[in-house]
Structure formats: structure tokens, C-alpha cells
């Protein structure tokens, strides 16, 4: 077997490794480093239109290789979001397509309304899914590739079963549409295992949180390096301010400890609800951060990162240092080649 797969030809890349486009922290410097190393770098693009344009332009200054942009489309399927949020998301997707971003990566919803406009713009569409049925439906709708998430993943977790239980079935259900594996993979052996089960690539989040280029608070990066899988926690609703009904996996922190000590009460009865834990100082404006709100602490967060969610998956066991993203990609390729040769 080779690390290079047909997905590489489809996306115009050399090695089938993607970074997760984890919101504000997936900046042009990270995406460009991954793309320049042969993978597909993915930006977070769920922001004001001018910030989308700035990020895309900056990425093009840093790389001539293909890259992607990530947007969450949960607002179209949930009653918790208003029409204004849905309209904003439509405008954001339209802006991504107007900028001719090579790959649009979607998550948490039906990609169907966006496939034909994307293809008209020359943009490939990838959708991350949480089940085999969802993977099959996405393939039938015409996406270019499906990202099959497993319950080992960090951040928001749509999957309810292990990646290793669903991956082979997803590959069969989506043929000939390629499947990209995600969740709990952090080294070459994990990549080789996924390729051996029919995946054509991998999408990694936790490993790239601990990269030099990720716009993530340094304390968060140090926690990822120091923690083990036993230090993570899966919850259906601990961090639900700003996004309800979205299970997630995070590193245990002060907010978790306080909630746990109180007997793990439900939303509305948790200790410290409504407290402002700090401000996210972002290029497009400052935002007060409530306890139990979703998000990732960036370097300019002026509160205690221990109060904020620090998303991480079970692959955290394999993350032992913060490294340049390009070196991470090259090391993963080398490890995968060695594992495939065993």
C-alpha cells in the first residue's frame, strides 16, 4: 500500500492528510503549512465576510497549493438557531465560493443545498458525518468526499460509535465516493490502520492543536501535550451556551471540576451559569465569554483558559510536543510508510 491515494488526485495534493478547520484557531499560517507539506490545509471560515476574504487572501500569499475552508451548518437543522443565523451562514458559504476556495468542508447537517453551487464555482465539497447512514446519504447527494467521524474525536462529536466500528461500512456505503477517517488518529499507525480499512485519507484535529501555527492559547497547547485520554471527558451538554444538543469531548478543567463537584447538574442549574470568564479578543471584535459557552481560547483570550473548553480527542495520548505543522505532516507520512511496510 502507498500513502498516496486517489483522494490526492481528486484534491490536487500529495498526501491525504487534512487538518480540522477548528474555527478561529485554524488560521492561514496553519492551513498554508499543512498544504505546503503536501496535505490539505483547512481554514476556519465561520466569520464576518471581510474576515473570510482576509483569511483566504492571506492563505494564498503563503501557499500556491490547494486548501479548504470549514463551516458548520447546524443552524439549518436545529430550532435553537434563528433565521438571522441561517441567513448569515448562507452569506458566508456564498463568500467562500465567490473567493474560489478549492475545497468547502461542512459539518453537522445536510450538504445538499450547497453542492451544486459549489461545483458551479469549481469548489469540491466534503462533509463530516457521524453515522454510516449519513455518509451514504451525503454520497448520494453528490459530495466529493465524506469525512467519517468516530466517537473518539475531540470537539463536537456527531458520532455515537467508534471509528473502527463504522469505517469499513462507510467505505462500502459510499462507493465510489472516497472516505476520510477522523477521530482518535494521531500517528502513522492510526493512519495506516484507516487506509487498510479502505479510507483514502485522514482529518486530524487534536494533533494540529499542538502545532506552532495554530492560533491557540499556549496554555491549551501545553495541556494537550501533558494530558492523556483519561483526562478527557465526553458530554452531551456541558458546554452548550451558543450551541445546544451538540455532544463534545474536552480536557477536564476547572469548569468541569466545579460542575462535577456539584453533582453534575443539568443546564440551568450548573454552578457559575451566566458568569463572564473573560473576553475573546478577535480581529473582528471582542466577545464576552460566558461559562459553559462553546469556543476555543486563543492567544489573546484575557481570562483563565482553565475556565474555557479545551477540545481534545482520544488521540491526545499520541501528542507529546508542540511542533511546526509541516513537520507534523512529514512525520506522519514517514510513520505511515513504516507502518504500511511492516
Amino acid at each position: 500500500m502507498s500513502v498516496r491515494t486517489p483522494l490526492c488526485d481528486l484534491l490536487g495534493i500529495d498526501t491525504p492528510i487534512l487538518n480540522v478547520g477548528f474555527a478561529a484557531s485554524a488560521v492561514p499560517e496553519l492551513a498554508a503549512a499543512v498544504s505546503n507539506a503536501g496535505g490539505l490545509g483547512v481554514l476556519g471560515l465561520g466569520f464576518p465576510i471581510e474576515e473570510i476574504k482576509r483569511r483566504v487572501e492571506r492563505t494564498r500569499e503563503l501557499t500556491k497549493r490547494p486548501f479548504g475552508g470549514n463551516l458548520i451548518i447546524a443552524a439549518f437543522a436545529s430550532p435553537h438557531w434563528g433565521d438571522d443565523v441561517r441567513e448569515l451562514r448562507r452569506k458566508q458559504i456564498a463568500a467562500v465560493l465567490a473567493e474560489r476556495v478549492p475545497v468547502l468542508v461542512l459539518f453537522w447537517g445536510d450538504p445538499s443545498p450547497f453542492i451544486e453551487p459549489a461545483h458551479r464555482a469549481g469548489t469540491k465539497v466534503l462533509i463530516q458525518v457521524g453515522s454510516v447512514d449519513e455518509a451514504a446519504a451525503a454520497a448520494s447527494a453528490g459530495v466529493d468526499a465524506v469525512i467519517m467521524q468516530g466517537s473518539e474525536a475531540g470537539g463536537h462529536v456527531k458520532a455515537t460509535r467508534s471509528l473502527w466500528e463504522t469505517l469499513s461500512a462507510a467505505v462500502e456505503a459510499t462507493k465510489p465516493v472516497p472516505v476520510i477517517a477522523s477521530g482518535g488518529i494521531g500517528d502513522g499507525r492510526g493512519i495506516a490502520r484507516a487506509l487498510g480499512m479502505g479510507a483514502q485519507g485522514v482529518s486530524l484535529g487534536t494533533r494540529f492543536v499542538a502545532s506552532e501555527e495554530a492560533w491557540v492559547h499556549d496554555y491549551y497547547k501545553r495541556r494537550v501535550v501533558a494530558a492523556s485520554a483519561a483526562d478527557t471527558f465526553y458530554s452531551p451538554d456541558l458546554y452548550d451556551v451558543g450551541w445546544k444538543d451538540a455532544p463534545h469531548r474536552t480536557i477536564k478543567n476547572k469548569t468541569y471540576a466545579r460542575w462535577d463537584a456539584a453533582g453534575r447538574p443539568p443546564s440551568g442549574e450548573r454552578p457559575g451559569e451566566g458568569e463572564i470568564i473573560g473576553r475573546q479578543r478577535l480581529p473582528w471584535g471582542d466577545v464576552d465569554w460566558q461559562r459553559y459557552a462553546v469556543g476555543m481560547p486563543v492567544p489573546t483570550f484575557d481570562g483563565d483558559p482553565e475556565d474555557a473548553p479545551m477540545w481534545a480527542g482520544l488521540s491526545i495520548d499520541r501528542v507529546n510536543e508542540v511542533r511546526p505543522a509541516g513537520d507534523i505532516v512529514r512525520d506522519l507520512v514517514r510513520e505511515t510508510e513504516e507502518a504500511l511496510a511492516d
Side-chain angles (χ1 to χ4, degrees), residues 22-32 42-44 54-55 59 213-215:
F22 36 61
S25 297
V27 289
E29 290 74 16
L30 172 60
V42 181
L43 296 164
R54 187 197 70 80
R55 286 185 168 220
T59 303
E213 294 87 350
W215 198 51

Side-chain angles (χ1 to χ4, degrees), residues 88-262:
L88 174 60
R89 191 62 89 224
R90 290 188 188 96
K91 290 179 179 178
Q92 290 167 332
I93 292 173
V96 171
L97 300 184
E99 292 295 319
R100 297 295 193 265
V101 173
V103 180
L104 174 63
V105 184
L106 303 174
F107 183 34
W108 214 284
D110 178 13
S112 300
F114 312 108
I115 295 171
E116 195 273 334
H119 287 168
R120 239 187 3 252
T123 295
K124 300 287 195 301
V125 179
L126 278 55
I127 177 73
Q128 181 167 244
V129 302
S131 70
V132 174
D133 287 347
E134 192 182 2
S140 296
V143 298
D144 296 282
V146 171
I147 302 173
M148 186 68 219
Q149 186 191 57
S151 59
E152 299 89 344
H156 288 94
V157 184
K158 206 163 193 287
T160 58
R161 296 171 61 194
S162 167
L163 174 68
W164 310 116
E165 295 175 3
T166 58
L167 182 55
S168 293
V171 170
E172 286 299 315
T174 61
K175 282 183 175 178
V177 176
V179 171
I180 298 164
S182 188
I185 300 173
D187 61 11
R189 287 200 170 276
I191 296 173
R193 182 180 181 187
L195 296 179
M197 295 175 69
Q200 292 191 28
V202 296
S203 177
L204 310 182
T206 305
R207 186 64 197 90
F208 286 107
V209 169
S211 67
E212 291 182 0
E213 294 87 350
W215 198 51
V216 172
H217 199 289
D218 187 60
Y219 179 82
Y220 182 2
K221 294 184 184 184
R222 294 199 304 270
R223 284 297 313 270
V224 168
V225 169
S228 69
D231 297 315
T232 69
F233 175 73
Y234 174 88
S235 171
D237 56 8
L238 177 58
Y239 296 102
D240 66 352
V241 176
W243 189 0
K244 294 186 180 296
D245 302 327
H248 42 266
R249 187 182 300 279
T250 65
I251 299 173
K252 297 173 184 176
N253 62 1
K254 287 181 181 177
T255 292
Y256 165 85
R258 188 174 173 186
W259 170 74
D260 187 52

Side-chain angles (χ1 to χ4, degrees), residues 261-275:
R264 302 187 176 188
S267 181
E269 302 176 18
R270 299 168 297 195
E273 293 218 32
E275 290 178 351

